[in-house]
Amino acid sequence: MTEYTIEFVGTGETITCTDKETILSRCLEEGIAQEYSCRVGMCLACSAEIVAGEVTQPAARGLTDEEAENYALTCMARPQSDLKLDRGKYPPSIEGDLTGGETDGAVADD
């Protein structure tokens, strides 16, 4: 079992996490206020941008393969190196939904 250091950008918080446990589970054990909801890789509430490092997250069904290269769902992600994560950052596909951007091209009838 290898242990890695995870630094949360802008918060001054750092934890250690093995490659056998999820980042969310370590956050909760350490008293770090990490948002989450479903805990099964679907809702994106626990999303964080990967600033540096690598994770494995094969069950992160809420992310496309491309998004999974740059974002971690902390409920599923296990570190594969030391990490820097920016919590509360969502992939572009969801950012449009949150900011009122176009989602599916449908136009409402008045």
Side-chain angles (χ1 to χ4, degrees):
M1 211 170 13
T2 306
E3 203 168 72
Y4 298 106
T5 300
I6 302 169
E7 175 188 337
F8 296 103
V9 175
T11 68
E13 298 168 315
T14 301
I15 61 171
T16 57
C17 185
T18 71
D19 56 353
K20 303 293 184 207
E21 57 192 341
T22 67
I23 296 166
L24 177 61
S25 67
R26 282 302 296 156
C27 285
L28 297 175
E29 288 174 17
E30 295 291 325
I32 304 276
Q34 171 63 47
E35 289 190 40
Y36 67 93
S37 184
C38 73
R39 295 184 80 160
V40 295
M42 291 298 293
C43 75
L44 304 179
C46 66
S47 182
E49 184 175 10
I50 302 169
V51 176
E54 295 181 20
V55 299
T56 184
Q57 51 185 348
R61 296 179 302 264
L63 297 174
T64 66
D65 290 342
E66 185 177 311
E67 291 170 340
E69 293 176 18
N70 299 307
Y71 295 87
L73 296 184
T74 61
C75 70
M76 294 285 117
R78 291 170 165 68
Q80 299 298 292
S81 69
D82 290 340
L83 291 169
K84 285 187 180 183
L85 298 178
D86 196 356
R87 293 186 306 199
K89 300 292 181 173
Y90 301 97
S93 62
I94 191 80
E95 281 294 332
D97 292 343
L98 294 175
T99 59
E102 241 180 77
T103 56
D104 64 359
V107 177
D109 291 295
D110 287 331

XYZ file of all heavy atoms in Angstrom:
814
model
N 0.856 -1.182 0.000
C 0.000 0.000 0.000
C 0.901 1.244 0.000
O 1.761 1.393 0.836
C -0.861 -0.035 1.268
C -2.173 0.581 1.104
S -3.378 0.341 2.458
C -2.497 -0.298 3.834
N 0.675 2.098 -0.966
C 1.457 3.324 -1.080
C 0.631 4.497 -0.570
O -0.563 4.583 -0.839
C 1.854 3.562 -2.552
O 2.510 2.402 -3.041
C 2.767 4.745 -2.689
N 1.278 5.407 0.152
C 0.601 6.567 0.715
C 1.020 7.818 -0.049
O 2.206 7.991 -0.367
C 0.977 6.701 2.190
C -0.030 7.474 2.993
C 0.208 7.332 4.474
O 1.189 7.909 4.961
O -0.584 6.641 5.123
N 0.045 8.666 -0.372
C 0.297 9.877 -1.121
C -0.215 11.084 -0.355
O -1.123 10.983 0.461
C -0.407 9.824 -2.482
C 0.082 8.696 -3.353
C -0.688 7.561 -3.556
C 1.320 8.767 -3.967
C -0.240 6.523 -4.360
C 1.787 7.727 -4.766
C 0.999 6.616 -4.960
O 1.454 5.586 -5.745
N 0.357 12.245 -0.656
C -0.064 13.510 -0.065
C -1.015 14.205 -1.030
O -0.740 14.293 -2.222
C 1.149 14.418 0.203
O 2.023 13.743 1.110
C 0.726 15.744 0.805
N -2.123 14.683 -0.488
C -3.113 15.412 -1.288
C -3.248 16.805 -0.696
O -3.592 16.958 0.478
C -4.473 14.696 -1.296
C -4.294 13.284 -1.852
C -5.488 15.495 -2.100
C -5.484 12.391 -1.667
N -2.973 17.797 -1.525
C -3.075 19.193 -1.118
C -4.305 19.793 -1.792
O -4.512 19.614 -2.989
C -1.825 19.958 -1.560
C -1.887 21.433 -1.294
C -0.716 22.183 -1.924
O 0.335 21.569 -2.178
O -0.883 23.384 -2.175
N -5.120 20.492 -1.015
C -6.307 21.150 -1.554
C -5.970 22.620 -1.795
O -5.693 23.362 -0.849
C -7.499 20.975 -0.620
C -7.900 19.533 -0.484
C -7.568 18.805 0.646
C -8.568 18.884 -1.508
C -7.913 17.464 0.763
C -8.920 17.549 -1.404
C -8.591 16.835 -0.261
N -5.968 23.011 -3.054
C -5.575 24.346 -3.483
C -6.445 25.401 -2.819
O -7.669 25.279 -2.780
C -5.669 24.452 -5.030
C -5.384 25.860 -5.502
C -4.738 23.455 -5.685
N -5.798 26.435 -2.301
C -6.504 27.583 -1.754
C -7.058 27.411 -0.351
O -7.637 28.342 0.189
N -6.908 26.211 0.243
C -7.475 26.007 1.581
C -6.400 25.807 2.652
O -6.699 25.913 3.832
C -8.396 24.770 1.628
O -7.606 23.594 1.468
C -9.472 24.847 0.558
N -5.187 25.458 2.236
C -4.137 25.140 3.195
C -4.298 23.761 3.817
O -3.547 23.382 4.699
N -5.288 22.981 3.347
C -5.541 21.644 3.885
C -4.754 20.602 3.100
O -4.681 20.657 1.878
C -7.032 21.304 3.822
C -7.879 22.238 4.654
C -9.357 22.082 4.373
O -9.742 22.014 3.185
O -10.122 22.045 5.346
N -4.181 19.656 3.843
C -3.431 18.555 3.247
C -3.778 17.286 4.002
O -3.923 17.309 5.230
C -1.916 18.818 3.352
O -1.612 20.037 2.678
C -1.103 17.707 2.726
N -3.935 16.192 3.259
C -4.165 14.886 3.879
C -3.228 13.876 3.237
O -2.647 14.141 2.182
C -5.631 14.411 3.717
C -6.005 14.259 2.228
C -6.595 15.322 4.451
C -7.350 13.584 1.982
N -3.094 12.734 3.875
C -2.425 11.606 3.240
C -3.493 10.555 2.962
O -4.470 10.421 3.709
C -1.316 11.013 4.129
O -1.866 10.632 5.374
C -0.194 12.016 4.335
N -3.306 9.837 1.877
C -4.306 8.871 1.433
C -3.571 7.735 0.737
O -2.663 7.985 -0.060
C -5.259 9.566 0.461
S -6.661 8.605 -0.122
N -3.957 6.506 1.027
C -3.334 5.373 0.343
C -4.006 5.156 -1.005
O -5.087 5.693 -1.272
C -3.444 4.073 1.156
O -4.795 3.626 1.148
C -2.944 4.257 2.582
N -3.373 4.335 -1.816
C -3.938 4.019 -3.125
C -5.088 3.024 -3.029
O -5.680 2.661 -4.037
C -2.859 3.505 -4.073
C -2.110 2.296 -3.535
O -2.314 1.904 -2.360
O -1.305 1.723 -4.291
N -5.440 2.600 -1.810
C -6.533 1.644 -1.605
C -7.797 2.295 -1.041
O -8.801 1.636 -0.858
C -6.100 0.532 -0.635
C -4.865 -0.214 -1.081
C -5.121 -1.014 -2.313
C -3.888 -1.817 -2.682
N -3.801 -2.111 -4.077
N -7.746 3.606 -0.750
C -8.913 4.282 -0.177
C -9.280 5.487 -1.032
O -8.450 6.023 -1.746
C -8.655 4.697 1.273
C -7.460 5.579 1.466
C -7.047 5.744 2.922
O -7.854 5.487 3.827
O -5.909 6.140 3.142
N -10.546 5.878 -0.960
C -10.983 7.028 -1.748
C -10.585 8.320 -1.052
O -10.440 8.370 0.172
C -12.504 7.031 -1.983
O -13.182 7.233 -0.745
C -12.967 5.749 -2.670
N -10.435 9.343 -1.859
C -10.090 10.656 -1.319
C -11.202 11.151 -0.401
O -10.936 11.691 0.675
C -9.816 11.637 -2.476
C -8.581 11.159 -3.258
C -9.637 13.057 -1.965
C -8.398 11.817 -4.607
N -12.462 10.936 -0.779
C -13.585 11.361 0.063
C -13.549 10.679 1.427
O -13.733 11.335 2.456
C -14.924 11.087 -0.621
C -16.161 11.422 0.218
C -16.212 12.895 0.583
C -17.425 10.996 -0.495
N -13.292 9.379 1.460
C -13.288 8.677 2.754
C -12.211 9.247 3.679
O -12.443 9.417 4.872
C -13.120 7.165 2.574
O -11.841 6.849 2.060
N -11.042 9.588 3.125
C -9.978 10.186 3.944
C -10.370 11.581 4.398
O -10.093 11.967 5.535
C -8.661 10.232 3.179
C -7.949 8.922 3.120
C -7.615 8.340 4.492
N -6.674 9.203 5.196
C -6.554 9.238 6.510
N -7.303 8.484 7.280
N -5.688 10.040 7.071
N -10.994 12.363 3.525
C -11.449 13.703 3.912
C -12.386 13.609 5.105
O -12.252 14.359 6.083
C -12.158 14.396 2.752
S -11.068 15.010 1.460
N -13.354 12.704 5.026
C -14.320 12.562 6.112
C -13.646 12.118 7.404
O -13.962 12.627 8.479
C -15.431 11.589 5.709
C -16.290 12.045 4.519
C -17.285 10.960 4.135
C -16.987 13.358 4.812
N -12.688 11.195 7.303
C -11.957 10.739 8.487
C -11.131 11.858 9.108
O -10.977 11.909 10.329
C -11.039 9.568 8.137
C -11.780 8.284 7.856
C -10.869 7.171 7.361
O -9.627 7.265 7.534
O -11.402 6.191 6.808
N -10.605 12.750 8.281
C -9.751 13.847 8.753
C -10.538 15.099 9.124
O -9.951 16.094 9.528
C -8.706 14.195 7.687
C -7.715 13.088 7.415
C -6.772 12.846 8.581
O -6.397 13.814 9.280
O -6.426 11.675 8.814
N -11.851 15.091 8.946
C -12.663 16.251 9.286
C -12.619 17.361 8.247
O -12.936 18.508 8.539
N -12.242 17.017 7.022
C -12.208 17.986 5.921
C -13.620 18.084 5.340
O -14.244 17.075 5.038
C -11.232 17.534 4.807
C -9.837 17.298 5.364
C -11.256 18.483 3.633
C -8.970 18.503 5.492
N -14.112 19.304 5.172
C -15.475 19.523 4.682
C -15.538 19.379 3.168
O -15.571 20.356 2.435
C -15.969 20.896 5.110
N -15.555 18.149 2.692
C -15.674 17.863 1.262
C -17.133 17.591 0.936
O -17.749 16.735 1.567
C -14.820 16.641 0.892
C -15.018 16.099 -0.506
C -14.641 17.092 -1.601
O -13.594 17.699 -1.546
N -15.511 17.248 -2.575
N -17.669 18.313 -0.030
C -19.063 18.081 -0.432
C -19.208 16.710 -1.073
O -18.297 16.232 -1.738
C -19.527 19.149 -1.412
C -19.714 20.499 -0.765
C -20.392 21.471 -1.701
O -21.324 21.067 -2.427
O -19.984 22.632 -1.698
N -20.366 16.104 -0.869
C -20.695 14.845 -1.536
C -22.187 14.620 -1.409
O -22.860 15.267 -0.626
C -19.919 13.659 -0.939
C -20.294 13.308 0.475
C -21.258 12.340 0.735
C -19.690 13.940 1.549
C -21.612 12.011 2.033
C -20.032 13.621 2.854
C -20.986 12.655 3.083
O -21.332 12.333 4.381
N -22.692 13.679 -2.191
C -24.102 13.328 -2.118
C -24.282 11.833 -2.336
O -24.444 11.083 -1.398
C -24.917 14.137 -3.132
O -26.293 13.860 -2.985
N -24.185 11.386 -3.592
C -24.559 10.000 -3.912
C -23.520 8.960 -3.491
O -23.866 7.823 -3.214
C -24.825 9.862 -5.410
S -23.348 9.913 -6.450
N -22.246 9.319 -3.478
C -21.118 8.432 -3.150
C -20.969 7.239 -4.095
O -20.345 6.250 -3.755
C -21.200 7.947 -1.699
C -21.055 9.103 -0.718
C -21.034 8.641 0.692
N -19.687 8.155 0.991
C -19.212 8.025 2.200
N -19.952 8.338 3.239
N -17.998 7.559 2.392
N -21.555 7.332 -5.291
C -21.422 6.253 -6.274
C -20.938 6.767 -7.636
O -21.105 6.095 -8.645
C -22.737 5.439 -6.436
C -23.084 4.704 -5.169
C -23.878 6.327 -6.903
N -20.353 7.961 -7.685
C -19.762 8.462 -8.912
C -20.716 8.990 -9.954
O -20.370 9.037 -11.134
N -21.910 9.429 -9.560
C -22.896 9.884 -10.539
C -23.272 11.371 -10.421
O -23.502 12.006 -11.431
C -24.176 9.057 -10.412
C -24.029 7.621 -10.844
S -23.603 7.413 -12.572
C -25.080 7.995 -13.367
N -23.332 11.909 -9.227
C -23.947 13.226 -9.052
C -23.010 14.411 -9.271
O -23.478 15.522 -9.460
C -24.589 13.326 -7.672
S -23.398 13.532 -6.332
N -21.716 14.213 -9.216
C -20.689 15.235 -9.405
C -20.572 16.228 -8.247
O -19.803 17.181 -8.340
C -20.868 15.997 -10.725
C -20.897 15.174 -11.999
C -21.106 16.075 -13.206
C -19.632 14.380 -12.169
N -21.280 16.038 -7.155
C -21.182 16.961 -6.023
C -19.775 17.014 -5.437
O -19.345 18.049 -4.941
C -22.183 16.576 -4.927
N -19.050 15.918 -5.514
C -17.718 15.835 -4.907
C -16.600 16.129 -5.895
O -15.430 15.863 -5.632
C -17.508 14.458 -4.289
S -17.457 13.116 -5.499
N -16.923 16.725 -7.025
C -15.961 16.975 -8.092
C -14.848 17.918 -7.659
O -15.067 18.869 -6.903
C -16.703 17.578 -9.292
O -15.825 17.797 -10.359
N -13.639 17.638 -8.170
C -12.484 18.504 -7.944
C -11.636 18.494 -9.204
O -11.492 17.451 -9.851
C -11.670 18.024 -6.756
N -11.081 19.641 -9.545
C -10.174 19.701 -10.687
C -8.810 19.173 -10.266
O -8.300 19.515 -9.198
C -10.046 21.128 -11.200
C -9.196 21.239 -12.428
C -9.159 22.644 -13.008
O -9.642 23.584 -12.353
O -8.644 22.785 -14.131
N -8.217 18.339 -11.100
C -6.884 17.810 -10.831
C -5.885 18.842 -11.345
O -5.720 19.021 -12.546
C -6.661 16.449 -11.521
C -7.715 15.436 -11.051
C -5.243 15.948 -11.266
C -7.744 14.147 -11.864
N -5.222 19.543 -10.423
C -4.236 20.554 -10.781
C -2.899 19.887 -11.077
O -2.190 20.275 -12.001
C -4.103 21.602 -9.647
C -3.018 22.607 -9.950
C -5.443 22.295 -9.402
N -2.558 18.867 -10.282
C -1.318 18.111 -10.482
C -1.511 16.709 -9.925
O -2.189 16.525 -8.915
C -0.149 18.797 -9.784
N -0.925 15.727 -10.601
C -0.983 14.353 -10.130
C -1.964 13.510 -10.916
O -2.575 13.965 -11.893
N -2.100 12.253 -10.461
C -2.955 11.293 -11.148
C -3.804 10.505 -10.165
O -3.381 10.236 -9.048
C -2.104 10.305 -11.947
C -1.329 10.923 -13.068
C -0.522 9.911 -13.842
O -0.837 8.696 -13.773
O 0.413 10.326 -14.524
N -5.006 10.138 -10.627
C -5.913 9.292 -9.847
C -6.397 8.153 -10.726
O -6.312 8.223 -11.950
C -7.139 10.073 -9.312
C -6.727 11.209 -8.397
C -8.020 10.577 -10.444
N -6.919 7.125 -10.091
C -7.676 6.107 -10.796
C -9.101 6.197 -10.278
O -9.320 6.383 -9.084
C -7.078 4.691 -10.606
O -7.826 3.778 -11.405
C -7.082 4.243 -9.165
N -10.059 6.134 -11.182
C -11.475 6.254 -10.805
C -12.346 5.533 -11.814
O -13.191 6.137 -12.471
C -11.872 7.719 -10.649
C -11.518 8.619 -11.813
C -11.833 10.067 -11.521
O -12.513 10.428 -10.552
N -11.360 10.949 -12.376
N -12.167 4.221 -11.944
C -12.902 3.473 -12.963
C -14.416 3.489 -12.793
O -15.140 3.288 -13.764
C -12.348 2.053 -12.842
C -11.742 1.983 -11.489
C -11.299 3.372 -11.150
N -14.915 3.750 -11.593
C -16.361 3.741 -11.367
C -16.971 5.143 -11.391
O -18.117 5.314 -11.029
C -16.678 3.053 -10.037
N -16.227 6.138 -11.838
C -16.732 7.509 -11.893
C -17.595 7.674 -13.143
O -17.193 8.281 -14.123
C -15.573 8.497 -11.881
N -18.790 7.139 -13.106
C -19.672 7.113 -14.267
C -20.206 8.482 -14.663
O -20.676 8.670 -15.773
C -20.820 6.146 -14.009
C -20.358 4.713 -13.838
C -21.509 3.780 -13.554
N -22.271 4.148 -12.374
C -22.084 3.626 -11.164
N -21.170 2.719 -10.970
N -22.825 4.010 -10.151
N -20.144 9.445 -13.766
C -20.655 10.775 -14.066
C -19.736 11.606 -14.947
O -20.118 12.679 -15.388
N -18.513 11.121 -15.208
C -17.554 11.839 -16.034
C -17.330 11.117 -17.357
O -17.316 9.885 -17.394
C -16.200 11.932 -15.320
C -16.133 12.697 -14.007
C -14.752 12.551 -13.382
C -16.485 14.164 -14.205
N -17.124 11.879 -18.411
C -16.685 11.278 -19.662
C -15.219 10.890 -19.496
O -14.549 11.348 -18.558
C -16.816 12.272 -20.834
O -15.896 13.351 -20.624
C -18.237 12.792 -20.988
N -14.701 10.082 -20.406
C -13.280 9.709 -20.343
C -12.390 10.940 -20.396
O -11.401 11.028 -19.675
C -12.922 8.757 -21.487
C -13.540 7.378 -21.318
O -13.956 7.029 -20.185
O -13.609 6.642 -22.314
N -12.742 11.898 -21.234
C -11.961 13.129 -21.352
C -12.009 13.935 -20.051
O -10.982 14.438 -19.587
C -12.478 13.965 -22.514
C -11.649 15.213 -22.780
C -12.145 15.973 -23.989
O -12.361 15.350 -25.044
O -12.318 17.201 -23.870
N -13.190 14.070 -19.454
C -13.321 14.811 -18.196
C -12.541 14.141 -17.072
O -11.958 14.818 -16.223
C -14.793 14.937 -17.806
C -15.584 15.850 -18.718
C -17.078 15.782 -18.471
O -17.576 14.796 -17.889
O -17.761 16.727 -18.889
N -12.505 12.820 -17.075
C -11.819 12.077 -16.018
C -10.313 12.307 -16.028
O -9.639 12.034 -15.037
C -12.133 10.588 -16.134
N -9.772 12.830 -17.117
C -8.352 13.159 -17.174
C -8.040 14.420 -16.384
O -6.926 14.597 -15.922
C -7.905 13.344 -18.629
C -7.959 12.066 -19.436
C -7.598 12.282 -20.890
O -6.983 13.337 -21.219
O -7.916 11.406 -21.703
N -9.035 15.301 -16.225
C -8.813 16.600 -15.584
C -9.611 16.817 -14.305
O -9.391 17.818 -13.619
C -9.144 17.723 -16.575
C -8.267 17.673 -17.797
O -7.048 17.644 -17.681
N -8.873 17.616 -18.968
N -10.558 15.928 -14.016
C -11.411 16.084 -12.844
C -11.484 14.772 -12.081
O -11.482 13.691 -12.677
C -12.833 16.524 -13.243
C -12.843 17.894 -13.853
C -12.636 18.069 -15.217
C -13.007 19.017 -13.054
C -12.596 19.332 -15.779
C -12.975 20.288 -13.616
C -12.765 20.436 -14.971
O -12.730 21.689 -15.513
N -11.588 14.883 -10.768
C -11.736 13.698 -9.923
C -13.073 13.760 -9.207
O -13.475 14.820 -8.723
C -10.612 13.646 -8.886
N -13.763 12.639 -9.168
C -14.919 12.501 -8.280
C -14.342 11.865 -7.023
O -13.973 10.691 -7.013
C -15.999 11.628 -8.918
C -16.616 12.194 -10.191
C -17.745 11.296 -10.672
C -17.114 13.605 -9.970
N -14.234 12.664 -5.973
C -13.496 12.217 -4.789
C -14.122 10.996 -4.127
O -13.439 10.277 -3.411
C -13.322 13.360 -3.767
O -14.597 13.812 -3.320
C -12.529 14.513 -4.385
N -15.391 10.733 -4.382
C -16.035 9.544 -3.803
C -15.541 8.254 -4.451
O -15.671 7.177 -3.873
C -17.554 9.633 -3.902
S -18.222 9.480 -5.581
N -14.966 8.362 -5.646
C -14.480 7.198 -6.389
C -12.963 7.219 -6.574
O -12.344 6.175 -6.727
C -15.114 7.156 -7.787
C -16.598 6.913 -7.786
S -16.958 5.197 -7.412
C -17.859 5.369 -5.886
N -12.368 8.398 -6.597
C -10.955 8.560 -6.952
C -10.019 8.059 -5.863
O -10.195 8.357 -4.681
C -10.661 10.027 -7.251
N -9.010 7.315 -6.316
C -7.922 6.842 -5.469
C -6.625 7.405 -6.041
O -6.401 7.333 -7.256
C -7.876 5.320 -5.441
C -9.061 4.704 -4.715
C -9.112 3.188 -4.930
N -9.987 2.496 -4.014
C -11.301 2.575 -3.974
N -11.929 3.361 -4.800
N -12.002 1.885 -3.105
N -5.762 7.979 -5.194
C -4.545 8.600 -5.721
C -3.576 7.574 -6.299
O -3.475 6.449 -5.818
C -3.948 9.286 -4.489
C -4.463 8.506 -3.328
C -5.827 8.027 -3.728
N -2.871 8.009 -7.342
C -1.803 7.217 -7.947
C -0.477 7.961 -7.864
O 0.543 7.478 -8.335
C -2.132 6.908 -9.405
C -3.408 6.112 -9.585
C -3.335 4.749 -8.916
O -2.574 3.896 -9.345
N -4.107 4.549 -7.860
N -0.517 9.159 -7.277
C 0.656 9.999 -7.069
C 0.261 11.057 -6.044
O -0.909 11.132 -5.644
C 1.073 10.681 -8.377
O 0.113 11.641 -8.761
N 1.213 11.883 -5.629
C 0.850 13.052 -4.839
C -0.058 13.907 -5.707
O 0.084 13.938 -6.938
C 2.088 13.839 -4.429
C 2.933 13.105 -3.379
O 2.402 12.203 -2.690
O 4.117 13.446 -3.249
N -0.995 14.613 -5.061
C -2.012 15.366 -5.812
C -2.153 16.788 -5.319
O -1.942 17.069 -4.132
C -3.389 14.718 -5.644
C -3.668 13.379 -6.267
C -4.984 12.829 -5.752
C -3.711 13.517 -7.770
N -2.574 17.656 -6.232
C -3.102 18.967 -5.896
C -4.486 19.006 -6.517
O -4.639 18.803 -7.720
C -2.246 20.090 -6.471
C -0.958 20.291 -5.732
C -0.240 21.527 -6.236
C 1.053 21.685 -5.468
N 1.753 22.902 -5.875
N -5.506 19.212 -5.682
C -6.893 19.248 -6.142
C -7.525 20.589 -5.808
O -7.295 21.142 -4.735
C -7.713 18.139 -5.476
C -7.311 16.696 -5.748
C -8.209 15.747 -4.953
C -7.385 16.384 -7.225
N -8.349 21.085 -6.719
C -9.127 22.301 -6.504
C -10.580 21.876 -6.355
O -11.263 21.582 -7.340
C -8.930 23.255 -7.673
C -9.379 24.679 -7.369
O -9.920 24.921 -6.264
O -9.182 25.540 -8.240
N -11.038 21.802 -5.098
C -12.388 21.304 -4.819
C -13.467 22.255 -5.298
O -13.275 23.447 -5.375
C -12.554 21.071 -3.313
C -11.707 19.966 -2.806
C -11.996 19.673 -1.373
N -11.872 20.909 -0.596
C -11.715 20.949 0.693
N -11.693 19.842 1.393
N -11.600 22.077 1.334
N -14.626 21.682 -5.608
C -15.775 22.476 -6.026
C -15.683 22.957 -7.460
O -16.439 23.818 -7.877
N -14.766 22.395 -8.222
C -14.644 22.726 -9.644
C -15.290 21.604 -10.441
O -15.037 20.434 -10.191
C -13.173 22.859 -10.056
C -12.425 23.919 -9.309
C -12.934 25.295 -9.681
C -12.135 26.332 -8.912
N -12.402 27.663 -9.277
N -16.142 22.000 -11.381
C -16.914 21.030 -12.148
C -16.477 21.001 -13.598
O -16.046 22.017 -14.131
C -18.406 21.366 -12.050
C -18.894 21.356 -10.637
C -18.986 22.537 -9.916
C -19.220 20.162 -10.010
C -19.411 22.533 -8.593
C -19.652 20.145 -8.688
C -19.739 21.334 -7.995
O -20.144 21.325 -6.692
N -16.618 19.850 -14.258
C -16.251 19.770 -15.665
C -17.105 20.712 -16.511
O -18.222 21.053 -16.127
C -16.516 18.311 -16.039
C -17.206 17.684 -14.897
C -17.129 18.595 -13.736
N -16.576 21.128 -17.673
C -17.311 22.070 -18.535
C -18.714 21.600 -18.893
O -19.612 22.420 -19.029
C -16.438 22.158 -19.795
C -15.074 21.780 -19.331
C -15.272 20.784 -18.213
N -18.928 20.305 -19.010
C -20.266 19.812 -19.385
C -21.307 20.166 -18.335
O -22.466 20.378 -18.658
C -20.238 18.299 -19.599
O -19.879 17.626 -18.401
N -20.928 20.244 -17.083
C -21.879 20.597 -16.020
C -21.871 22.098 -15.748
O -22.875 22.667 -15.360
C -21.630 19.791 -14.725
C -22.777 19.948 -13.723
C -20.371 20.223 -14.042
C -23.950 19.104 -14.002
N -20.733 22.767 -15.971
C -20.655 24.204 -15.746
C -21.709 24.942 -16.558
O -22.323 25.860 -16.072
C -19.262 24.746 -16.073
C -18.228 24.496 -15.000
C -18.495 25.223 -13.702
O -19.133 26.304 -13.693
O -18.075 24.696 -12.669
N -21.946 24.545 -17.805
C -22.968 25.183 -18.633
C -24.336 25.059 -17.998
O -25.117 25.991 -17.999
N -24.633 23.896 -17.404
C -25.913 23.681 -16.736
C -26.052 24.581 -15.519
O -27.111 25.104 -15.239
C -26.060 22.219 -16.300
C -26.202 21.275 -17.477
O -26.501 21.748 -18.595
O -26.000 20.070 -17.279
N -24.966 24.782 -14.767
C -25.020 25.565 -13.539
C -25.121 27.055 -13.800
O -25.651 27.795 -12.985
C -23.776 25.291 -12.690
C -23.643 23.870 -12.143
C -22.304 23.712 -11.432
C -24.787 23.530 -11.209
N -24.605 27.510 -14.944
C -24.586 28.932 -15.216
C -25.686 29.369 -16.178
O -25.688 30.482 -16.660
C -23.217 29.345 -15.800
O -22.995 28.603 -16.997
C -22.104 29.119 -14.801
N -26.606 28.460 -16.483
C -27.715 28.799 -17.350
C -27.373 28.727 -18.820
O -28.099 29.237 -19.653
N -26.238 28.100 -19.137
C -25.817 27.962 -20.521
C -26.684 26.963 -21.244
O -27.531 26.282 -20.665
N -26.466 26.848 -22.546
C -27.206 25.888 -23.349
C -26.920 24.469 -22.900
O -25.790 24.127 -22.620
C -26.787 26.047 -24.821
C -27.922 26.430 -25.684
C -27.492 26.574 -27.129
O -27.317 25.526 -27.783
O -27.343 27.723 -27.554
N -27.921 23.636 -22.839
C -27.709 22.261 -22.423
C -27.977 21.285 -23.546
O -27.177 20.441 -23.823
C -28.608 21.914 -21.207
O -29.957 22.176 -21.547
C -28.185 22.702 -19.982
N -29.114 21.394 -24.215
C -29.407 20.406 -25.248
C -29.913 21.040 -26.552
O -30.361 20.339 -27.446
C -30.413 19.376 -24.734
C -31.764 19.994 -24.423
O -31.951 21.200 -24.570
O -32.664 19.227 -24.018
N -29.864 22.341 -26.621
C -30.284 23.012 -27.844
C -31.785 23.199 -27.968
O -32.254 23.773 -28.921
N -32.578 22.695 -27.025
C -34.024 22.828 -27.099
C -34.430 24.260 -26.809
O -33.825 24.952 -26.015
C -34.690 21.894 -26.085
N -35.475 24.705 -27.488
C -35.986 26.063 -27.301
C -37.385 25.941 -26.726
O -38.229 25.207 -27.238
C -36.019 26.844 -28.638
C -36.605 28.219 -28.440
C -34.633 26.925 -29.240
N -37.656 26.688 -25.673
C -38.965 26.644 -25.034
C -39.962 27.449 -25.851
O -39.640 28.513 -26.367
C -38.881 27.192 -23.610
N -41.181 26.950 -25.961
C -42.269 27.677 -26.605
C -42.900 28.613 -25.598
O -43.098 28.253 -24.459
C -43.348 26.714 -27.116
C -42.846 25.886 -28.284
O -42.569 26.451 -29.334
O -42.757 24.672 -28.116
N -43.216 29.824 -26.029
C -43.882 30.776 -25.122
C -45.360 30.732 -25.278
O -45.957 30.500 -26.207
C -43.383 32.198 -25.377
C -41.973 32.375 -24.844
O -41.605 31.718 -23.885
O -41.262 33.215 -25.402
